Amino acid sequence: MTDPRAAPIYLDNNSTTAPAPEVVEAMLPFYTEHFANPSSPHPGGERAADAVRAARGHVAQLLGGSPRDVVFTSGGSESINAAFGAARLAHPERPRYIVSAVEHSATKASAKRAGTCVEIAVDANGLLDREALFAAIDSGVALVSLLFAGNETGVLNDLAGIGDACRAAGTLFHVDAVQAPGKMPIDAPAIGCDLLTIAAHKFHGPKGVGASWVRPGVALDPLVVGGPQESERRAGTENVPGIVGMGRAAELAQAFAEDERGLARIRALRDRLERRLVEAIPGARVHGAGAKRVANTTNVLFPGLEASLLLALLGEFGVYASAGSACNAQRSSPSPVLIAMGISPEEAASSLRFSLSRYSTEDEIEAATGRIIEAVGTLHALND
Amino acid sequence: MTDPRAAPIYLDNNSTTAPAPEVVEAMLPFYTEHFANPSSPHPGGERAADAVRAARGHVAQLLGGSPRDVVFTSGGSESINAAFGAARLAHPERPRYIVSAVEHSATKASAKRAGTCVEIAVDANGLLDREALFAAIDSGVALVSLLFAGNETGVLNDLAGIGDACRAAGTLFHVDAVQAPGKMPIDAPAIGCDLLTIAAHKFHGPKGVGASWVRPGVALDPLVVGGPQESERRAGTENVPGIVGMGRAAELAQAFAEDERGLARIRALRDRLERRLVEAIPGARVHGAGAKRVANTTNVLFPGLEASLLLALLGEFGVYASAGSACNAQRSSPSPVLIAMGISPEEAASSLRFSLSRYSTEDEIEAATGRIIEAVGTLHALND
């Protein structure tokens, strides 16, 4: 019997993560002692500017790039929007923006705002139709914007050669790497993209701060103008504690992503969770199981159950999960990502995402598995 | 003799303020325990959403408005940019954007990006030429954007009747109230504006979060699209700790602004600082002294001295001040605000701003006065 007083088990890390204790510790002095404006010409301001500089270095290291190519923003959605702005600035005459069918809503909305949004299909595993993509890239395309790792399924895109194809057509290439830090090494220059987006709160950093990696020579059309901050690419007083927290989170994420054992441990926990659910629940299936996926994510079909009801009951049982992107969560329609993978609306509306973190423990996964199976049983009993 | 080891005296509160201890205390649990995404459909997400809702209420109270009319943003610059976006959306065919000559750089840059920027002159005290303003408002004007209180001088704008004039011309009216919270009561609906901007870090809240008050019926053109947050007016995962901090800061600022004795104490300290500097330093003069000003700000001319040198020496002496807007601070040219007041470039380049806070003490102002006079003497001795 599930004890509702048990500590909740947080398996919604693709929505957001708990800031690491080291991150909070790093941020605190910038709320208390070192609170000055980095633009202020006094020792207080210099101390804050030094901290921003150090954080920029850590984020650059995480991305394999140079500090001068890192632009701090208010988060992933802003950075994604900024990538489309850069493409519109570079190619005002090009009508088309290519995205995959499984992109985040910020990408699709930005594409629709910028011009004609061309969606490239994915297969049943969520893998991009690369042939269709290469065929679509031409001199009428301002930007190609693709996920590094899918937020709903964890499926990894094969990005090889796409940068070259874009370059040949003069098209800009943006990679939404929001789900990547701490889950794999990232090398933005080697990916061959022109812009790459990350958000601190997805890798145990604070909410309200993100970063764009921008290839030298690519100009941003600032979303916010009116100050010299971020080398005139993003105006406004810097969110110093947030940036400091992002820098510390970047250090920790990079160290974890380079630690094969850590990732293997998470993968083993995730795999065990999947296996036990599929074994225990008739008809249960893992979406994207046939593709390479990040270690922490699983998206499971619970046939015949309404995901929203299962989520609510799991919430009472102390297991926090999600029915897809938090940015779609308040909408009642089933996940467009799963629909794009050819999954029926009924099955999409019966699927839940569980996303682990480097803080997930064996005991938690063990307990969560039991509670999920119990909740599914409870709902099936009600249905009967 | 100044003791350089003495604790620095922070008189740069118009650049940014120290977060109040109550603010940091309110934020911390949202970095540690309540870190979930407010859009997530589980008790963790609901807890975060509740906190955002409560903060929105506190900010609405500060502004005399309704919670549904408050849109959280990443800061003052973003909210200012958004106001111009709203005007462009409402009036794509109107070419002109009216600002005063002493606006913040975010306002002027936004106006220039949106269309033709019409600058209304100010007098020697920094007071707006209201006659010229009323004459300029017509059906070719998309937006009038004016400061509530000047960031460099503290001069208060007389905004009476401007909202009516704008409404008669179908022009939108935006008030940059970034320097107002905690210094005077604010009633956005009564001001008669359509949009009003504040930034948490200017009133002892955190950096990286601001708010737009938007009159019902006025549509924002979201700077960031792709999620349902902020009622589709500003996409992206909410900066929950920042928003919680802003809410707490709003409560505290409102309480202080309603406490006549508190404001009178700050004003008395500021007036004493001014008086002693003017008495001790030949030719010293206070900019905007003939106008109504907020209680905490003074901008002083130190004839014959280079402000940047004086600032640097004051930094060593442990007095932190500013030579104008932090958003202009890294530019070498003298303050455009002082130039607009008819002050010569030489005098503008010899002027410093000291801005107090509700935490400023009599001892600090006493010590700062002595150190400023000493620093001025040191520089004059070097010049001789």
Side-chain angles (χ1 to χ4, degrees):
Chain A
M1 164 91 191
T2 298
D3 178 359
R5 296 158 305 175
I9 299 168
Y10 187 78
L11 297 178
D12 195 16
N13 287 283
N14 287 14
S15 288
T16 193
T17 58
E22 299 92 329
V23 165
V24 179
E25 195 189 4
M27 294 173 71
L28 255 180
F30 293 87
Y31 282 122
T32 53
E33 200 183 347
H34 310 303
F35 61 82
N37 191 318
S39 297
S40 286
H42 50 60
E46 287 155 20
R47 179 73 184 78
D50 285 345
V52 170
R53 204 172 297 121
R56 197 183 306 280
H58 294 312
V59 171
Q61 276 221 308
L62 173 73
L63 302 179
S66 156
R68 71 165 186 277
D69 306 327
V70 171
V71 178
F72 286 115
T73 67
S74 71
S77 290
E78 181 185 326
S79 284
I80 290 171
N81 276 252
F84 283 82
R88 215 168 35 216
L89 180 70
H91 297 303
E93 78 296 350
R94 296 191 176 196
R96 287 190 295 287
Y97 293 77
I98 295 180
V99 307
S100 86
V102 295
E103 296 300 313
H104 185 272
S105 54
T107 299
K108 291 194 180 180
S110 292
K112 283 169 192 158
R113 183 161 68 163
T116 304
C117 174
V118 178
E119 283 195 19
I120 303 295
V122 299
D123 69 11
N125 278 309
L127 287 171
L128 191 66
D129 183 343
R130 284 170 49 93
E131 234 172 279
L133 172 66
F134 285 113
I137 298 172
D138 62 29
S139 62
V141 177
L143 182 76
V144 171
S145 182
L146 296 172
L147 283 162
F148 198 139
N151 47 306
E152 298 199 27
T153 58
V155 167
L156 282 164
N157 258 332
D158 174 8
L159 301 177
I162 298 174
D164 287 340
C166 286
R167 208 163 8 264
T171 297
L172 289 180
F173 179 30
H174 168 243
V175 171
D176 169 0
V178 162
Q179 295 293 345
K183 296 170 194 163
M184 68 197 73
I186 307 173
D187 186 338
I191 289 170
C193 59
D194 298 291
L195 302 122
L196 182 141
T197 289
I198 58 172
H201 77 101
K202 302 288 191 183
F203 55 95
H204 303 291
K207 294 175 183 62
V209 55
S212 301
W213 176 84
V214 186
R215 182 181 289 283
V218 174
L220 289 185
D221 185 13
L223 290 176
V224 182
V225 297
Q229 294 89 357
E230 299 299 311
S231 307
E232 311 254 350
R233 292 178 289 185
R234 207 288 181 188
T237 299
E238 296 90 337
N239 176 357
V240 181
I243 288 170
V244 166
M246 186 172 198
R248 191 74 186 94
E251 288 186 283
L252 299 168
Q254 189 179 3
F256 188 78
E258 288 168 357
D259 170 12
E260 265 306 318
R261 286 166 315 169
L263 280 176
R265 188 183 73 79
I266 301 305
R267 186 179 297 279
L269 289 178
R270 190 271 314 266
D271 289 349
R272 187 189 315 174
L273 171 65
E274 285 183 347
R275 203 166 45 239
R276 290 201 41 202
L277 293 180
V278 168
E279 284 167 5
I281 299 164
R285 199 174 76 221
V286 175
H287 299 304
K292 276 192 191 168
R293 291 178 294 155
V294 289
N296 80 313
T297 308
T298 183
N299 197 315
V300 181
L301 166 67
F302 298 95
L305 291 185
E306 214 175 302
S308 58
L309 280 182
L310 181 53
L311 266 184
L313 188 58
L314 283 177
E316 282 185 38
F317 282 12
V319 176
Y320 294 177
S322 164
S325 164
C327 287
N328 280 318
Q330 285 167 341
R331 296 172 177 164
S332 49
S333 48
S335 157
V337 167
L338 298 183
I339 301 288
M341 291 164 67
I343 291 155
S344 71
E346 293 69 33
E347 289 193 335
S350 297
S351 299
L352 286 194
R353 176 184 73 189
F354 304 96
S355 44
L356 287 66
S357 83
R358 63 178 190 254
Y359 297 108
S360 297
T361 66
E362 192 172 338
D363 285 352
E364 282 184 328
I365 299 307
E366 194 61 30
T369 308
R371 294 185 203 175
I372 296 165
I373 293 170
E374 184 185 343
V376 169
T378 304
L379 287 181
H380 273 308
L382 286 175
N383 283 350
D384 288 343
Chain B
M1 163 88 188
T2 297
D3 178 357
R5 294 160 306 174
I9 299 168
Y10 187 78
L11 298 178
D12 194 16
N13 287 284
N14 287 14
S15 289
T16 194
T17 57
E22 299 91 330
V23 165
V24 180
E25 194 187 5
M27 294 173 72
L28 254 180
F30 293 88
Y31 282 122
T32 54
E33 200 182 347
H34 309 304
F35 61 83
N37 191 316
S39 298
S40 287
H42 49 62
E46 286 155 19
R47 179 74 185 75
D50 284 347
V52 170
R53 203 172 298 121
R56 196 183 307 279
H58 294 312
V59 170
Q61 276 221 309
L62 173 74
L63 302 179
S66 157
R68 69 166 187 277
D69 306 327
V70 171
V71 178
F72 287 115
T73 67
S74 72
S77 289
E78 181 184 326
S79 284
I80 290 171
N81 276 252
F84 284 81
R88 215 169 34 214
L89 179 70
H91 297 304
E93 77 296 349
R94 295 191 176 196
R96 286 190 296 287
Y97 293 78
I98 295 181
V99 306
S100 87
V102 294
E103 297 300 314
H104 186 271
S105 53
T107 299
K108 292 194 178 178
S110 292
K112 283 169 192 158
R113 182 160 69 162
T116 304
C117 174
V118 178
E119 283 194 20
I120 303 296
V122 300
D123 70 10
N125 277 309
L127 287 170
L128 192 66
D129 183 342
R130 284 170 49 90
E131 235 173 279
L133 172 66
F134 284 113
I137 297 172
D138 62 28
S139 62
V141 178
L143 182 77
V144 171
S145 182
L146 295 172
L147 282 162
F148 198 138
N151 48 306
E152 298 200 26
T153 58
V155 168
L156 282 164
N157 257 333
D158 175 8
L159 301 177
I162 297 174
D164 287 339
C166 286
R167 206 162 10 261
T171 297
L172 289 180
F173 179 29
H174 169 244
V175 171
D176 170 1
V178 163
Q179 295 292 345
K183 297 169 192 164
M184 69 196 73
I186 306 172
D187 187 337
I191 289 169
C193 57
D194 298 291
L195 301 123
L196 181 141
T197 289
I198 59 172
H201 77 102
K202 303 290 191 182
F203 55 94
H204 303 291
K207 294 175 182 62
V209 55
S212 301
W213 176 83
V214 186
R215 181 182 290 281
V218 174
L220 288 185
D221 185 12
L223 290 176
V224 182
V225 296
Q229 294 89 357
E230 299 301 312
S231 307
E232 311 254 351
R233 292 178 289 186
R234 205 288 184 191
T237 300
E238 297 90 336
N239 177 356
V240 180
I243 288 170
V244 166
M246 185 172 199
R248 191 76 186 93
E251 287 185 283
L252 299 168
Q254 189 179 3
F256 188 79
E258 287 169 357
D259 169 13
E260 264 307 318
R261 288 165 313 168
L263 280 175
R265 188 183 72 79
I266 301 305
R267 185 178 299 279
L269 290 178
R270 190 272 314 268
D271 289 349
R272 186 189 317 172
L273 171 65
E274 285 183 346
R275 201 168 47 242
R276 290 203 39 205
L277 293 180
V278 168
E279 283 169 7
I281 298 164
R285 198 174 78 223
V286 174
H287 299 303
K292 276 193 191 168
R293 290 179 294 154
V294 288
N296 80 311
T297 308
T298 183
N299 196 316
V300 182
L301 166 69
F302 298 94
L305 291 185
E306 214 175 302
S308 58
L309 280 181
L310 181 53
L311 266 185
L313 188 58
L314 282 177
E316 283 185 37
F317 282 12
V319 176
Y320 295 176
S322 163
S325 165
C327 287
N328 280 318
Q330 286 167 339
R331 295 171 177 165
S332 49
S333 48
S335 158
V337 167
L338 298 183
I339 301 287
M341 291 165 66
I343 291 155
S344 71
E346 294 68 33
E347 289 193 334
S350 298
S351 299
L352 286 195
R353 176 185 72 188
F354 304 95
S355 44
L356 287 65
S357 83
R358 62 179 188 251
Y359 297 108
S360 298
T361 66
E362 191 171 339
D363 285 353
E364 281 185 329
I365 298 307
E366 194 60 30
T369 309
R371 295 185 202 175
I372 297 165
I373 293 169
E374 184 184 345
V376 168
T378 303
L379 287 181
H380 273 308
L382 285 174
N383 283 351
D384 286 346

